[in-house]
Structures are given as structure tokens and as C-alpha cells.
Amino acid sequence: MKPAATLPARPRRLGSVEVLAAILLLALLSRGELAGLLDQPEVRTWLTMFVSIVLQAVPFLVLGVLLSAAITVFVPAGFFARALPGHPALAVPAAAAAGVVLPGCECGSVPVAGALVRRGVTPAAALAFLLSAPAINPVVLIATAVAFPAEPLMVLARGVASLVVAVLMGWLWLRLGRTEWIKLPRRPELTGLARWPAFWASARHDLLPAGGFLVLGGALAATLNVLVPARWTQAVADQPVLSVLALGVLAVLLSMCSEADAFVAASLTQFSLTARLAFLVVGPMVDLKLFAMQTGTFGRSFAIRFAPATFVVAVLVAAGTGALVWGWP
Amino acid sequence: MAVNRTAQSLILVLLGVAVLRIGVTDQYLRYVKEGLRPFLLAAGLLLLVTAVATWRHREHEHEHGHGHRVAWLLALPALVLLVLAPPPLGSGAVNQAGTAIDGRSAADFPALPDGDPVPVTMLDYAARAVFDQGGSLHGRRVRLTGFLATGPAGEPLLVRMMLTCCASDARPVKIGLRGRVPALPPDTWLEVTGTRLPETATDEVNGQTIPFLHIESARQVPAPPNAYE
């Protein structure tokens, strides 16, 4: 390591370290006033939900970021191009099916999909992987089976519908998607670096924006958890079309981890199985937390197109699958 | 404001320390399931390693433009955890969600173990009281542990939250109270002994059935290390 004296002299202005130190000091000094926030039941509930969402996601985020750094640094450039079918239209279903191997929730799959794009995987295939991985991996499917003991077809319906949505979205991207919509965050020059410095630099460059946006999404989701009472959805429970849409929207707003959403879906007993399937198909693919993270990893112009399109396709496929499996009401 | 390399390392250290601190104490149980602990500890350590690596290699890379502004946000959950450490979900979250009850058939309700009163979980009591029509509860005194809360109309409830992954998916198990209900504020933890009542109510949030318990005796207890069931 170089001695500190060779570092470039910093301009004499308020740097981010000083600001951070000031925030810390302020937080510690006003500890008593801040603790008063906990007397408000809504604020208390919000704070607990907010840190819970972030904590639940952090291990998956760290895992996803390290995996993505490993892909970026240690996997040879042409590997994925050789492993996937050469034709993009075939690479999409192959990548979607490969989602089975990433056991975790959606927070981990965003940085991994970003790394796949950097590593030369066609965006359509990487996006199919991004959508399918959190929905069809064994952990999530087993959780679904446990949550719906009386309805074994739910596992099958969820797996198939999620896979179909992932493949359709991949193909849709092939037809309509534009490369310039995807703006991966600027990277430092990794090429000149030794492997391990490059690994950590890559991990940090994924972790900071994805983590920051995760916090933003977690704050939004906690707010909606506190403000939107579950009874609002009750009003539409017996309307076949509206209820499917309502649970799709609820999945977006609640931003639940894909390993937990089946238990919540199982408790929404006043809704049809098809509506609950929509909740399970939409949740891992489009939600507030995920939208924020996609904005951080792929850029805003990507996220504002991709998330709504995915929502529409997911609701339609879930409704169709539900009608096939359980019949149209 | 952009976040320079040293500040980035510090934010990662802050988050890593916060995650490790709640992981080594029982505090993590306020927010997530027990099974997540090893993953939290590993993630906390990896955050610290990333922070150290970021700091060590800070002069190797030539950053273009500014750092990640949004990274500031990562300090927020760290500060909330380190400074405030919010409590587990309590009575304030009870009327937000419908009561949790898992539909089982009578065959799933084996006889309760011996003992008088017999300790049962809130969820088990609720399911037996509603679906088993009290068959296995007939003539038995049970002991339940939960916290006091009030329903929408001010009626007293004994509640325990159930977690699947984290507190954002928490679902309350609600039990209506009759008999000698202690006049204590919400969020007081109680160990109650009592018997099943045939009376039920309907939860207006999700239309599920809320069973009742006739309290014979209740005793205030400290909050358990794991507030959730």
C-alpha cells in the first residue's frame, strides 16, 4: 500500500466523510428525542417493518452481489455465450429455466442479471432469468406447497405461469426492446486490476446502488403496509376480474419476499385461487422494492418500461393459467 | 452529495456493525425468523470485508464522475437499528391485518398432551377452537401466552404475531377474551389460563373466525425473547 502522503490533496470543502460524521453525531446526541418517535404506534410499526424488510433482504443482496462479482471477474468472457443456445429466441427459455438454480428471493437476482448482461449474455435471456429465478427456485416452490397443503396444483400453476411470463417477457424484449434503454452503472476500470481488487471493486459497485435502492423500496413498502389496510381489497374479493387485478396490485405494493408471499396468499381465503395465483406470479417479478433496485441496476428508462409491461403480462398469464386449472368462475 | 470512497467504506461498516450487533444478540428476533441468523451474521461479516477491501483499494481505481448518491440511504436502516432498535410488532399492527388461522380438518387435531392447564400455542388454540369445534379442547383448561390488544370496537383481544420470513409478513392470531380480563394497557404480555367458549366473532379485515377464551386467571409476564410464534 502507498503511504497516505501520496494521495491527491483533497479540496478544502465539506466532504462526504464529514457529513457522515455529522449525521452520526447528531443521531447520537438526539437519541432521546428520536426514541420519542417510538411512542407513536404508526411510526413504531413503520420503523419495525422498514428495518425488517431491509434485514430480510440484506443476506440475499450480499449473496447476489458476490455472485455477480464472481461472474464478472472469474467467469471467462465467452462462457455464457457458449453455454446458452446461440439463437436468442432459444436462449430465452434456456435462461428462464436456469432460474431454478438460484435459491433466494428477488433481491439477489437483480445484480446477478446485471452481471450476466455485462458478461455478454443477450439482455432478453438475462431478463428472463431475472424474472424466473425468484419465482421458480425450489425454496419458493416448497414454501408454496407448505402454504397450500390442500391445493397441490397451486405449486404447479405458480411454477408454470412464472416460467411462461419470464419467457414471454424475454421474447417481447427481443421484438421491442432497445439496448439503449439499459444503462448499467458506470464501472471503474476493472481491466487493469488484479483479480481480487477487481472482485471487490465490482462487488462494491453493485452493492451501493442496489442496496441504496433496496432501502428506498423498503421504506415505500413499509409505508404502504402501514397505510393501506388489507380490508380495502376485501370489497372486490367476489368480483372475478377485479379481484385478480386487485391482488396483482397488492403484490406490487406489499413487496413481499418471494419466500414468504405464499403464506400471505394462503391467508387471503376470501379470494379465488386464480386471484391468489396472480399475487404469487406478480410479486416476485414486479414490486416497489424490485422496481427501485431495477432502476439502480439497469437505469430508469429501462425500469419504467419493463415493470409495467411485466405486470400486464403476469396478470394475464396468471388469469389464463388459473382459468385452465380451476375453471373460469 | 456524492459519496467518496472513504465514506462508502464507513457506510458499509455502519451497516455491517448494525447487522452483526442484532445478529449476536437476540434482537434480530424482533424483525426476522430465527433461521435467518447465520445468514445475517455472514452478511454482516461480508459487509465489513467489502468495506475494508473498498478502503484498501481506494487508490487503485480511477473513479469517473461522482460516487453513488443513493448509497447514503444505506446509513438509514443502520442508524435506526443502532440508535432506536424498534420493538417487535405489537398492538399497533393488530387491526391492520386479518386474523391468521390455518384451515385443517378434524383429523389433524390429535388429543392434547396431559397437563392441567395444558400449554398450547395461540395458533393451535385458534385452529382447534374454530375447526375442531372444540372437540379436543372439551373439558380442558389451556394456558396461552400473548399480548393484550383492542379490536376495532375496543373489545379486548389476546394476540400473538406469526412470522413467515420477516415482520412485514406478520399475521396476528387474535383471540377474544371473556371472564376475568385484567385491566392492563395494550402490549402487556400475559400468561392466561382459561377454557374455550363456543362464542366466535368475525374479523372484519379478512372475514375469518376469531375464537374466544374464558379467562380464569391471568398473570403479567415479561415479553418473551421471541415475540412471534
PDB file of all heavy atoms in Angstrom, chain A residues 38 73 86 94 137 144 149 226 242 272 275 280-281 300 305 318:
ATOM      1  N   LEU A  38     -40.830   6.450  18.963  1.00  0.00           N
ATOM      2  CA  LEU A  38     -41.363   5.108  19.181  1.00  0.00           C
ATOM      3  C   LEU A  38     -42.672   5.126  19.972  1.00  0.00           C
ATOM      4  O   LEU A  38     -43.357   4.117  20.059  1.00  0.00           O
ATOM      5  CB  LEU A  38     -40.329   4.245  19.913  1.00  0.00           C
ATOM      6  CG  LEU A  38     -39.072   3.914  19.112  1.00  0.00           C
ATOM      7  CD1 LEU A  38     -38.107   3.113  19.945  1.00  0.00           C
ATOM      8  CD2 LEU A  38     -39.429   3.136  17.859  1.00  0.00           C
ATOM      9  N   VAL A  73     -15.747 -11.297 -12.716  1.00  0.00           N
ATOM     10  CA  VAL A  73     -14.286 -11.355 -12.662  1.00  0.00           C
ATOM     11  C   VAL A  73     -13.721 -12.734 -12.994  1.00  0.00           C
ATOM     12  O   VAL A  73     -12.718 -12.851 -13.674  1.00  0.00           O
ATOM     13  CB  VAL A  73     -13.793 -10.903 -11.262  1.00  0.00           C
ATOM     14  CG1 VAL A  73     -12.289 -11.037 -11.146  1.00  0.00           C
ATOM     15  CG2 VAL A  73     -14.212  -9.468 -11.014  1.00  0.00           C
ATOM     16  N   GLY A  86     -27.240 -20.567 -29.177  1.00  0.00           N
ATOM     17  CA  GLY A  86     -26.779 -19.417 -29.938  1.00  0.00           C
ATOM     18  C   GLY A  86     -27.899 -18.497 -30.367  1.00  0.00           C
ATOM     19  O   GLY A  86     -27.764 -17.275 -30.355  1.00  0.00           O
ATOM     20  N   ALA A  94     -34.046 -21.114 -22.256  1.00  0.00           N
ATOM     21  CA  ALA A  94     -32.969 -21.802 -21.538  1.00  0.00           C
ATOM     22  C   ALA A  94     -32.580 -21.014 -20.287  1.00  0.00           C
ATOM     23  O   ALA A  94     -32.425 -21.573 -19.198  1.00  0.00           O
ATOM     24  CB  ALA A  94     -31.755 -21.982 -22.457  1.00  0.00           C
ATOM     25  N   ASN A 137     -37.507 -21.137  -8.066  1.00  0.00           N
ATOM     26  CA  ASN A 137     -36.462 -21.926  -7.412  1.00  0.00           C
ATOM     27  C   ASN A 137     -37.087 -22.839  -6.351  1.00  0.00           C
ATOM     28  O   ASN A 137     -38.187 -22.591  -5.865  1.00  0.00           O
ATOM     29  CB  ASN A 137     -35.359 -21.022  -6.852  1.00  0.00           C
ATOM     30  CG  ASN A 137     -35.800 -20.244  -5.647  1.00  0.00           C
ATOM     31  OD1 ASN A 137     -36.043 -20.819  -4.595  1.00  0.00           O
ATOM     32  ND2 ASN A 137     -35.947 -18.944  -5.806  1.00  0.00           N
ATOM     33  N   THR A 144     -44.424 -22.694  -1.193  1.00  0.00           N
ATOM     34  CA  THR A 144     -45.776 -22.641  -1.746  1.00  0.00           C
ATOM     35  C   THR A 144     -46.540 -23.922  -1.430  1.00  0.00           C
ATOM     36  O   THR A 144     -47.719 -23.886  -1.058  1.00  0.00           O
ATOM     37  CB  THR A 144     -45.715 -22.425  -3.271  1.00  0.00           C
ATOM     38  OG1 THR A 144     -44.821 -21.337  -3.541  1.00  0.00           O
ATOM     39  CG2 THR A 144     -47.078 -22.088  -3.831  1.00  0.00           C
ATOM     40  N   PRO A 149     -51.468 -26.684   1.510  1.00  0.00           N
ATOM     41  CA  PRO A 149     -51.476 -28.152   1.626  1.00  0.00           C
ATOM     42  C   PRO A 149     -52.677 -28.788   0.935  1.00  0.00           C
ATOM     43  O   PRO A 149     -52.581 -29.900   0.424  1.00  0.00           O
ATOM     44  CB  PRO A 149     -51.518 -28.385   3.146  1.00  0.00           C
ATOM     45  CG  PRO A 149     -52.036 -27.131   3.729  1.00  0.00           C
ATOM     46  CD  PRO A 149     -51.627 -26.022   2.808  1.00  0.00           C
ATOM     47  N   VAL A 226     -48.299   0.092   6.253  1.00  0.00           N
ATOM     48  CA  VAL A 226     -48.932   0.772   7.375  1.00  0.00           C
ATOM     49  C   VAL A 226     -50.194   1.511   6.931  1.00  0.00           C
ATOM     50  O   VAL A 226     -51.196   1.527   7.640  1.00  0.00           O
ATOM     51  CB  VAL A 226     -47.928   1.760   8.030  1.00  0.00           C
ATOM     52  CG1 VAL A 226     -48.605   2.584   9.105  1.00  0.00           C
ATOM     53  CG2 VAL A 226     -46.769   0.983   8.628  1.00  0.00           C
ATOM     54  N   LEU A 242     -61.935  -8.157 -11.250  1.00  0.00           N
ATOM     55  CA  LEU A 242     -61.323  -7.136 -10.394  1.00  0.00           C
ATOM     56  C   LEU A 242     -60.445  -7.746  -9.311  1.00  0.00           C
ATOM     57  O   LEU A 242     -59.413  -7.186  -8.952  1.00  0.00           O
ATOM     58  CB  LEU A 242     -62.411  -6.282  -9.739  1.00  0.00           C
ATOM     59  CG  LEU A 242     -62.843  -5.028 -10.493  1.00  0.00           C
ATOM     60  CD1 LEU A 242     -63.847  -4.237  -9.670  1.00  0.00           C
ATOM     61  CD2 LEU A 242     -61.625  -4.161 -10.824  1.00  0.00           C
ATOM     62  N   SER A 272     -60.477 -15.836  -4.860  1.00  0.00           N
ATOM     63  CA  SER A 272     -60.407 -17.064  -5.656  1.00  0.00           C
ATOM     64  C   SER A 272     -58.954 -17.518  -5.766  1.00  0.00           C
ATOM     65  O   SER A 272     -58.018 -16.733  -5.585  1.00  0.00           O
ATOM     66  CB  SER A 272     -60.958 -16.796  -7.052  1.00  0.00           C
ATOM     67  OG  SER A 272     -60.098 -15.916  -7.749  1.00  0.00           O
ATOM     68  N   ALA A 275     -57.068 -15.473  -8.336  1.00  0.00           N
ATOM     69  CA  ALA A 275     -56.591 -14.174  -7.860  1.00  0.00           C
ATOM     70  C   ALA A 275     -55.340 -14.352  -7.017  1.00  0.00           C
ATOM     71  O   ALA A 275     -54.382 -13.581  -7.126  1.00  0.00           O
ATOM     72  CB  ALA A 275     -57.685 -13.482  -7.045  1.00  0.00           C
ATOM     73  N   LEU A 280     -49.099 -14.414  -6.511  1.00  0.00           N
ATOM     74  CA  LEU A 280     -47.844 -15.166  -6.443  1.00  0.00           C
ATOM     75  C   LEU A 280     -46.992 -15.011  -7.698  1.00  0.00           C
ATOM     76  O   LEU A 280     -45.766 -15.153  -7.648  1.00  0.00           O
ATOM     77  CB  LEU A 280     -48.141 -16.652  -6.215  1.00  0.00           C
ATOM     78  CG  LEU A 280     -48.804 -16.992  -4.880  1.00  0.00           C
ATOM     79  CD1 LEU A 280     -49.042 -18.484  -4.774  1.00  0.00           C
ATOM     80  CD2 LEU A 280     -47.924 -16.511  -3.735  1.00  0.00           C
ATOM     81  N   VAL A 281     -47.642 -14.767  -8.845  1.00  0.00           N
ATOM     82  CA  VAL A 281     -46.871 -14.628 -10.083  1.00  0.00           C
ATOM     83  C   VAL A 281     -46.324 -13.202 -10.198  1.00  0.00           C
ATOM     84  O   VAL A 281     -45.167 -12.999 -10.582  1.00  0.00           O
ATOM     85  CB  VAL A 281     -47.731 -14.997 -11.315  1.00  0.00           C
ATOM     86  CG1 VAL A 281     -46.979 -14.733 -12.606  1.00  0.00           C
ATOM     87  CG2 VAL A 281     -48.137 -16.474 -11.248  1.00  0.00           C
ATOM     88  N   ARG A 300     -33.304   4.124 -15.208  1.00  0.00           N
ATOM     89  CA  ARG A 300     -34.713   4.475 -15.085  1.00  0.00           C
ATOM     90  C   ARG A 300     -35.490   4.182 -16.366  1.00  0.00           C
ATOM     91  O   ARG A 300     -36.591   3.665 -16.327  1.00  0.00           O
ATOM     92  CB  ARG A 300     -34.836   5.954 -14.723  1.00  0.00           C
ATOM     93  CG  ARG A 300     -36.181   6.317 -14.158  1.00  0.00           C
ATOM     94  CD  ARG A 300     -36.241   7.796 -13.833  1.00  0.00           C
ATOM     95  NE  ARG A 300     -35.120   8.211 -13.003  1.00  0.00           N
ATOM     96  CZ  ARG A 300     -34.636   9.457 -12.972  1.00  0.00           C
ATOM     97  NH1 ARG A 300     -35.181  10.383 -13.713  1.00  0.00           N
ATOM     98  NH2 ARG A 300     -33.621   9.747 -12.188  1.00  0.00           N
ATOM     99  N   ARG A 305     -40.321   1.086 -18.311  1.00  0.00           N
ATOM    100  CA  ARG A 305     -40.963   0.325 -19.386  1.00  0.00           C
ATOM    101  C   ARG A 305     -41.164  -1.132 -18.981  1.00  0.00           C
ATOM    102  O   ARG A 305     -42.197  -1.734 -19.224  1.00  0.00           O
ATOM    103  CB  ARG A 305     -40.106   0.381 -20.648  1.00  0.00           C
ATOM    104  CG  ARG A 305     -40.061   1.752 -21.269  1.00  0.00           C
ATOM    105  CD  ARG A 305     -39.152   1.752 -22.486  1.00  0.00           C
ATOM    106  NE  ARG A 305     -39.289   2.987 -23.217  1.00  0.00           N
ATOM    107  CZ  ARG A 305     -38.553   4.076 -22.975  1.00  0.00           C
ATOM    108  NH1 ARG A 305     -37.645   4.052 -22.022  1.00  0.00           N
ATOM    109  NH2 ARG A 305     -38.726   5.166 -23.680  1.00  0.00           N
ATOM    110  N   ALA A 318     -51.385 -15.241 -15.386  1.00  0.00           N
ATOM    111  CA  ALA A 318     -51.927 -15.836 -14.155  1.00  0.00           C
ATOM    112  C   ALA A 318     -53.424 -16.097 -14.318  1.00  0.00           C
ATOM    113  O   ALA A 318     -53.921 -17.169 -13.934  1.00  0.00           O
ATOM    114  CB  ALA A 318     -51.658 -14.917 -12.964  1.00  0.00           C
TER     115      ALA A 318
END
